[in-house]
Amino acid sequence: MGVLSRRRSLLIKLVVIVSTAWFTIAFLLYSEDRTDRGIALSLQNNPVNREARELQHDSNLLEPANPFKNDDDENPKANLQEPRKEDDGGVLLPPQNLPGELGKPVVLPTNLSAEVKKMVDDGWLKNAFNQYVSDMISVHRSLPDPRDEWCKKPNRYLTKLPATSVIICFHNEAWSILLRTVHSVLDRSPKHLIKEVVLVDDFSDMSHLKQQLEDYWKSEPRVKIVRAKKREGLIRARLLGAREASGPVLTYLDSHCECTDGWLEPLLDRIARDPTTVVCPVIDVIDDTTLEYHWRDSSGVNVGGFDWNLQFNWHAVPDKEKKKHENSAEPVWSPTMAGGLFSIDKKFFEKLGTYDSGFDIWGGENLELSFKTWMCGGTLEIVPCSHVGHIFRKRSPYKWRSGVNVLRRNSVRLAEVWLDEYAKYYYQRIGNDKGDFGDITARRKLRDDLNCKSFKWYLDNIYPELFVPGDAVANGEFRNLGHGGKTCLDSPARKSDLHKPAGLYPCHRQGGNQYWMYSKTGEIRRDEACLDYSGQEVILYPCHGSKGNQYWEYDEESKLLRHGSSDKCLGINASKTKLIMEQCNNNSNNQRWTLENYDSSKLNK
Ligand SMILES: *[C@@H]1O[C@H](CO)[C@@H](O)[C@H](O)[C@H]1NC(C)=O
Ligand SMILES: *[C@@H]1O[C@H](CO)[C@@H](O)[C@H](O)[C@H]1NC(C)=O
Ligand SMILES: *[C@@H]1O[C@H](CO)[C@@H](O)[C@H](O)[C@H]1NC(C)=O
């Protein structure tokens, strides 16, 4: 226990606080860009390295020399570095002291002139990330190679791989970011594997995305630009891109990404071996302020899940999945996909009905594609050898009519078509108010025609870690039998109550803060809060499904609650005010508990 787990929990605490703040901001502001929100939690993989930033402060970064402006500027490309080509066409390694090379952070001096400061602020306002810093960085900048050695072994991948069409949808994206995204695809992929890059302009009005963009790519025939005739939103823009794509595999990226060396082959390899495999790269974080590229090795990979609000979330790779692989760099099954970064066989995508789910604008599309993939005969994987960086914005910079109702409408459609008898758990969360969710006959017919499996099959086989409220082994009060036997486990379990010691209170039989569930995997929980012990206090902590600190084994005979990683037992102190962990002793009433409605037949065998 001790230092390591304390460090881990400190780190995770920090990350959770940061992401909570992000989410609060994201929810306050309406946002079209679901992808950004959806995958923001992958930051858990990539704690921001503040030290690196601070070190950079005393580097001799000059005030940026008139970086080209982004929009409505006479000569916006003035400061763009041309690709540094060698005679044989190879790209020369850029000098490492240029800003942002090797994915290093660019930190602006604090004493910027008023004029520059205004440019920096304008960049943030327009893009919700530091456009000024992005403009200082080469659109061909070098990146670290985040791959494990294992990924680079010869003959790792099939020699004959299918080519892909890379589809990048954008709306009023910053010039340097969009170009860097496209160049990172072209510069870091074998030429014959990129059938084309389809840029889908979702009705932007910034001038640099018009003729200037056409001119820039005139000499690169593999880049196609497709324009929506009105504002379509992410889903219909992606559909538009798919219709224009001619490659056998579709790869969707966001317009503020950077692909790293060798990102593409491991994705295409999985699809070549089995075209029903849908693959996602590991999504690394590009810092929105410094554009630093953060990454971790493949041991830090998380997989996607969701909760009963039908919100995407991350969780650790389950142990049983880890055991399947001899190497942590091998692809892992993921119950859901994080965001809009994935590759799929085009024919399989079409068979699944693509994105054409009658969803509005955004929201829920990645969960739908995930459920559909798994239930209708496919596999969804995260491929640790493939790394793509992504800027997570804290808000969407775009105006868009949108909000809660669009999201709810999509989620209700999702629940109606795919969730079977489990839909009730989502409806409980929204006060059973489904609203108008449109016609779903065609979607149900698609599911029938494809002979898709049940949602129960999906939960049992692909996402057994999801806590299904109806499956609890016990629910109600958890009463301690010591010191008179009138003390119950009692704590609120909202987000703000997490990371704090769990409490005790005289039993009141009113539910509320004394209502707990004992899950079939041995958690003591309410909603997403789990009783957790890592060597000090017994606290509530976000449930992580990986046992260890959150695993409690209840023995109906002795009535002891034995803790997984410490092998101690849960008890209460003599004044009945504090949960304590002690050497297990079945003669001591203060370690004995009754769990209401305990039904051992529901236990995971
Ligand atoms: C900012 O500070 C640096 C060194 O501290 C100095 O060289 C530079 O001239 C200053 N720039 C402005 C605009 O004051
Ligand atoms: C209590 O503990 C003792 C010794 O560890 C063991 O032999 C006994 O079976 C336990 N009783 C119950 C009810 O679990
Ligand atoms: C029980 O724990 C509380 C909180 O730490 C403490 O104030 C109290 O003195 C303890 N009671 C006993 C008898 O140890």
Side-chain angles (χ1 to χ4, degrees):
M1 310 286 51
V3 181
L4 246 180
S5 53
R6 229 175 302 130
R7 271 211 199 132
R8 180 217 63 172
S9 78
L10 254 175
L11 190 65
I12 293 178
K13 267 180 211 167
L14 187 80
V15 166
V16 168
I17 291 166
V18 170
S19 12
T20 309
W22 279 17
F23 271 84
T24 313
I25 294 164
F27 275 106
L28 287 177
L29 292 154
Y30 64 87
S31 148
E32 174 228 349
D33 207 334
R34 185 85 197 294
T35 339
D36 287 13
R37 267 185 13 202
I39 46 191
L41 273 176
S42 82
L43 194 69
Q44 291 197 7
N45 269 341
N46 298 276
V48 173
N49 186 346
R50 293 202 175 275
E51 266 171 37
R53 274 201 218 174
E54 267 141 29
L55 274 178
Q56 192 71 17
H57 267 295
D58 48 33
S59 79
N60 51 354
L61 230 184
L62 297 172
E63 191 171 302
N66 181 30
F68 69 89
K69 289 198 212 101
N70 205 47
D71 192 22
D72 308 322
D73 184 28
E74 331 71 71
N75 187 14
K77 277 191 285 176
N79 216 44
L80 264 189
Q81 288 117 352
E82 287 300 314
R84 291 166 289 267
K85 295 278 184 190
E86 279 181 273
D87 290 343
D88 64 3
V91 178
L92 280 173
L93 275 184
Q96 294 196 1
N97 55 2
L98 284 177
E101 291 298 332
L102 287 171
K104 297 244 172 67
V106 176
V107 180
L108 296 173
T110 48
N111 61 349
L112 295 173
S113 69
E115 191 198 355
V116 173
K117 187 161 184 320
K118 184 169 183 318
M119 290 165 79
V120 174
D121 292 345
D122 285 351
W124 272 103
L125 206 62
K126 272 190 200 152
N127 304 286
F129 61 79
N130 199 342
Q131 181 214 316
Y132 188 86
V133 155
S134 170
D135 293 352
M136 292 168 62
I137 299 173
S138 163
V139 295
H140 294 274
R141 78 151 160 184
S142 55
L143 290 177
D145 183 347
R147 290 172 297 173
D148 286 8
E149 283 310 311
W150 185 87
C151 303
K152 302 182 228 172
K153 278 201 187 142
N155 307 321
R156 184 80 255 152
Y157 309 113
L158 298 176
T159 41
K160 200 167 159 12
L161 293 173
T164 186
S165 298
V166 177
I167 300 168
I168 301 170
C169 304
F170 63 89
H171 174 75
N172 282 346
E173 186 59 273
W175 177 254
S176 56
I177 284 285
L178 180 61
L179 295 196
R180 195 174 300 113
T181 303
V182 179
H183 281 303
S184 77
V185 170
L186 297 174
D187 292 351
R188 300 205 177 89
S189 312
K191 196 162 184 187
H192 67 284
L193 294 182
I194 301 291
K195 173 76 191 184
E196 69 221 328
V197 177
V198 182
L199 295 178
V200 184
D201 172 16
D202 187 10
F203 209 57
S204 302
D205 51 26
M206 289 178 170
S207 60
H208 63 264
L209 298 169
K210 309 280 173 147
Q211 191 59 40
Q212 185 183 319
L213 189 68
E214 312 267 344
D215 291 346
Y216 185 91
W217 292 113
K218 216 177 314 185
S219 57
E220 176 48 90
R222 288 184 298 166
V223 175
K224 286 188 191 171
I225 300 170
V226 180
R227 311 264 184 194
K229 293 187 180 61
K230 59 175 175 45
R231 190 71 203 281
E232 296 287 4
L234 194 56
I235 299 176
R236 285 191 294 266
R238 285 187 186 163
L239 277 168
L240 191 59
R243 281 197 287 272
E244 294 297 322
S246 58
V249 172
L250 305 180
T251 297
Y252 281 98
L253 294 180
D254 282 352
S255 53
H256 31 267
C257 287
E258 284 176 70
C259 304
T260 61
D261 281 325
W263 73 288
L264 186 58
E265 295 91 326
L267 298 177
L268 297 177
D269 179 75
R270 300 302 294 172
I271 295 175
R273 289 172 198 269
D274 180 352
T276 65
T277 306
V278 179
V279 286
C280 305
V282 172
I283 302 165
D284 293 328
V285 172
I286 302 172
D287 188 274
D288 60 348
T289 305
T290 65
L291 271 80
E292 179 176 9
Y293 194 98
H294 294 284
W295 58 278
R296 278 183 54 181
D297 67 19
S298 52
S299 62
V301 167
N302 280 353
V303 296
F306 64 93
D307 61 26
W308 290 109
N309 280 317
L310 296 183
Q311 294 291 308
F312 172 86
N313 55 27
W314 288 102
H315 60 110
V317 177
D319 291 342
K320 66 166 179 8
E321 181 68 6
K322 274 188 194 150
K323 283 193 196 110
K324 262 170 46 184
H325 304 291
E326 54 187 54
N327 193 301
S328 64
E330 281 182 50
V332 289
W333 283 8
S334 185
T336 66
M337 63 168 74
L341 277 56
F342 64 95
S343 297
I344 187 168
D345 178 82
K346 191 175 187 209
K347 288 211 185 81
F348 186 58
F349 197 42
E350 282 162 355
K351 183 184 152 194
L352 291 182
T354 65
Y355 269 131
D356 205 356
S357 45
F359 280 13
D360 273 336
I361 309 168
W362 58 264
E365 66 278 357
N366 296 319
L367 281 191
E368 207 228 17
L369 188 53
S370 306
F371 296 162
K372 217 158 51 173
T373 298
W374 280 116
M375 291 163 66
C376 311
T379 307
L380 180 59
E381 290 181 346
I382 291 178
V383 180
C385 287
S386 172
H387 282 247
V388 174
H390 178 268
I391 299 184
F392 294 86
R393 292 176 299 196
K394 298 176 185 74
R395 63 176 177 91
S396 166
Y398 314 130
K399 293 188 182 69
W400 188 257
R401 62 182 170 83
S402 176
V404 173
N405 290 338
V406 170
L407 189 53
R408 173 168 304 185
R409 182 179 182 279
N410 291 355
S411 294
V412 171
R413 288 180 71 86
L414 181 70
E416 286 290 310
V417 177
W418 296 101
L419 262 55
D420 305 329
E421 70 271 24
Y422 294 86
K424 64 172 180 273
Y425 301 122
Y426 171 62
Y427 298 143
Q428 284 167 5
R429 295 292 180 94
I430 57 169
N432 292 303
D433 174 16
K434 297 191 209 174
D436 170 20
F437 54 87
D439 183 6
I440 52 162
T441 334
R443 304 309 293 169
R444 285 203 164 141
K445 182 171 183 310
L446 174 81
R447 183 177 159 178
D448 284 346
D449 292 348
L450 288 173
N451 252 318
C452 304
K453 297 192 180 83
S454 67
F455 199 69
K456 181 174 190 326
W457 173 88
Y458 168 79
L459 290 182
D460 288 347
N461 294 281
I462 308 304
Y463 197 16
E465 296 79 25
L466 180 67
F467 185 63
V468 179
D471 288 351
V473 179
N475 60 79
E477 67 171 29
F478 283 26
R479 179 186 293 250
N480 185 280
L481 300 182
H483 310 296
K486 293 191 179 128
T487 312
C488 276
L489 183 60
D490 183 309
S491 273
R494 294 158 306 198
K495 271 227 163 69
S496 55
D497 303 307
L498 297 180
H499 313 287
K500 294 178 187 163
L504 292 165
Y505 200 77
C507 300
H508 56 44
R509 309 277 320 135
Q510 311 273 308
N513 291 342
Q514 295 187 1
Y515 181 91
W516 298 96
M517 285 176 278
Y518 181 67
S519 76
K520 57 184 178 181
T521 55
E523 297 150 324
I524 296 172
R525 64 189 285 162
R526 184 183 321 127
D527 296 332
E528 292 306 306
C530 272
L531 207 63
D532 185 300
Y533 176 68
S534 64
Q536 291 173 343
E537 305 271 3
V538 180
I539 61 170
L540 289 179
Y541 195 88
C543 299
H544 51 53
S546 55
K547 305 215 167 184
N549 293 347
Q550 297 183 354
Y551 180 65
W552 303 87
E553 191 179 87
Y554 183 63
D555 185 320
E556 233 180 332
E557 280 289 299
S558 66
K559 299 194 162 23
L560 296 181
L561 272 168
R562 186 184 291 268
H563 179 249
S565 55
S566 67
D567 211 35
K568 290 182 179 170
C569 280
L570 184 68
I572 63 174
N573 79 356
S575 53
K576 300 176 276 191
T577 48
K578 189 175 166 56
L579 287 165
I580 51 176
M581 298 296 296
E582 296 176 320
Q583 219 59 338
C584 295
N585 170 9
N586 63 15
N587 292 320
S588 155
N589 266 340
N590 78 329
Q591 289 184 12
R592 305 178 69 201
W593 297 82
T594 53
L595 314 188
E596 196 172 354
N597 295 318
Y598 184 85
D599 175 359
S600 61
S601 70
K602 285 183 170 173
L603 275 173
N604 240 1
K605 285 295 178 301

